[in-house]
Amino acid sequence: MKSFKIVGSVLAAGLLVGSVIGCSSTADQKSSATGSKPEAKQKISFMYPLYNNPPKKTEAWKYMEDKLNIEFDAQAIPSAQYSDKLQASIAANDLPDITHYTSFPDPKLVTYAKQGAFLQLDDLIKDTKNIKNLPKEMWDLIKVDGKTYGIPRPAPQGRAVVIRKDWLDNLGLPIPKTLDDFYNVAVKFANADPDKNGKNDTVGIILNQTMDWHLDPIFMAFDTGNGWRKMEDGTLMSTSIAPQRKEALAWLHKLYDVGGIDKNFTIMKDNQMWEKLESGKAGLFLGAQTNDFPRFVANLKKVDPKAELIMIQPPVGQNGKTGYPIGSGFFGEFVLPAKIDKAKAKKAIELLDWQIGQEGVNLRKEGVEGVDFKKNADGTIAMIGNKYTEDGVANLIWNVPNDPTNIIALDAPAEIQKAQKANLENIDKLNVTNPSIGFVPSDAVREKKTELDKTAREVSVKIVTGELPIEAFDKFVQDWKSKGGDAYTKELNEWYKVKQSGK
């Protein structure tokens, strides 16, 4: 059996992960109006990350199966385990029919494609109704040597900062706006008993062990740039080594030292971090998503019915800089294994295409009429109990359209939907673009990039926690440059100069 690997990386064997598997009973057969033999249902397996309730094999599941004449095998892997499971499956040449490759840009994906792990999709995409209409910019970004091996999963900007408004009120604090405001609020959330229970059991800012994503609004306020910063001379400098990042790390260390940042963040995974917020122990989350807001509120209300969680604007730095980093506009891509047969490949693409068509979008947002929702006389809908949420319908349909309003939760209370809409209205004005989007590094640079990124994260975490002094940043910069960073920077700036010239 052919296997695929990246030189220097070791994948653990025997990885155990949770998954949600569809039933494998004999498929129902469709009747044929012409009297010919009915077509047997095609079994389609689909692996993707799971962030909340797993999909259950209920009415919505059956509706999709019948509509597409498939037997659906949903391999929904808990998000904390997904990356390991993905890499192990590729290395073993044991991919399902559809796999969500969540990382982009990722040098490993390019290598796998060149090694022949994935099916080329150009001809299949031509026959779709919806997928082929995704923005040209997305397709241009994912091509490998001019060929298409994946289908982008759209991810319109939906970042959010969430905060406990009731805690602000308890402490007589206004909604924070500036970096200084956020610093003050975080410290008091951790040390001033914001929940008024007489215990020292709350934290200010929560984040996980990867750190950067959940502190992006802080880095943007310090004007570090997104991925690469355009310097005053017009050249690009990696945000990992930018002087503005050193300033931000010094600020974060000071905040960590006085308790404003959760002391346990270095061991926190996503689910543990979310649990702190939803259990009423954390007051400020800078790495939230608008689509997660209904879940955060609902779970928090179960613990504290009087709790008030709201979404606010990201912090503004001293020079007026603010915002969220915007990337490619998509969350990884869907790939098919090269060994898949033609009929199954065609059906897999049909499934992905249907999911972002109107019928698939409606099923994902509403469920099945009469089961998950009912129509009101005015044309609006009302959800029926909690069945839609409990059945994980939103996680049954994993492909999504390129439409930011798609993330508004129709099963949430009206005030939650209103808050989501408000947060999305002007979010494009907060986008901080990455000037390196579209750049494909050489193999030599690609081999160095993973280690450079890893070292940058490790040093940043150690500076924030105080394990390394802020002066260590200067040595890190020199090491970063000498160990491949200078070559990376040179190559990128040559590409950027050509791009700017329009050639």
Side-chain angles (χ1 to χ4, degrees), residues 61-76:
W61 186 307
K62 187 176 186 303
Y63 181 93
M64 183 176 72
E65 286 188 325
D66 290 345
K67 189 69 183 179
L68 294 162
N69 197 34
I70 62 172
E71 182 184 344
F72 188 56
D73 176 7
Q75 300 178 16

Side-chain angles (χ1 to χ4, degrees), residues 41 54-68 70 72 74 351 354-355 359-373 383 387-397:
K41 284 189 173 182
K56 295 180 181 178
K57 194 174 178 68
T58 55
E59 292 85 355
W61 186 307
K62 187 176 186 303
Y63 181 93
M64 183 176 72
E65 286 188 325
D66 290 345
K67 189 69 183 179
L68 294 162
I70 62 172
F72 188 56
L351 170 62
W354 179 85
Q355 287 191 345
E359 191 171 20
V361 169
N362 289 345
L363 184 63
R364 185 178 192 272
K365 295 181 72 172
E366 305 168 349
V368 176
E369 184 175 0
V371 176
D372 300 296
F373 75 94
M383 304 308 291
K387 183 172 174 56
Y388 169 88
T389 302
E390 292 171 354
D391 287 353
V393 176
N395 290 318
L396 172 66
I397 312 291

Side-chain angles (χ1 to χ4, degrees), residues 4 11 15 17 47-49 77-78 81-96 98-103 106 108-109 112 118 333 335:
F4 302 95
L11 294 171
L15 182 66
V17 296
M47 187 172 76
Y48 53 92
I77 310 298
Q81 303 166 10
Y82 191 75
S83 180
D84 289 340
K85 172 63 176 174
L86 172 64
Q87 296 301 327
S89 297
I90 295 173
N93 194 18
D94 189 29
L95 288 172
I98 307 172
T99 298
H100 184 191
Y101 198 107
T102 52
S103 180
D106 187 348
K108 292 194 294 292
L109 186 150
Y112 291 141
F118 309 134
E333 51 194 286
V335 296

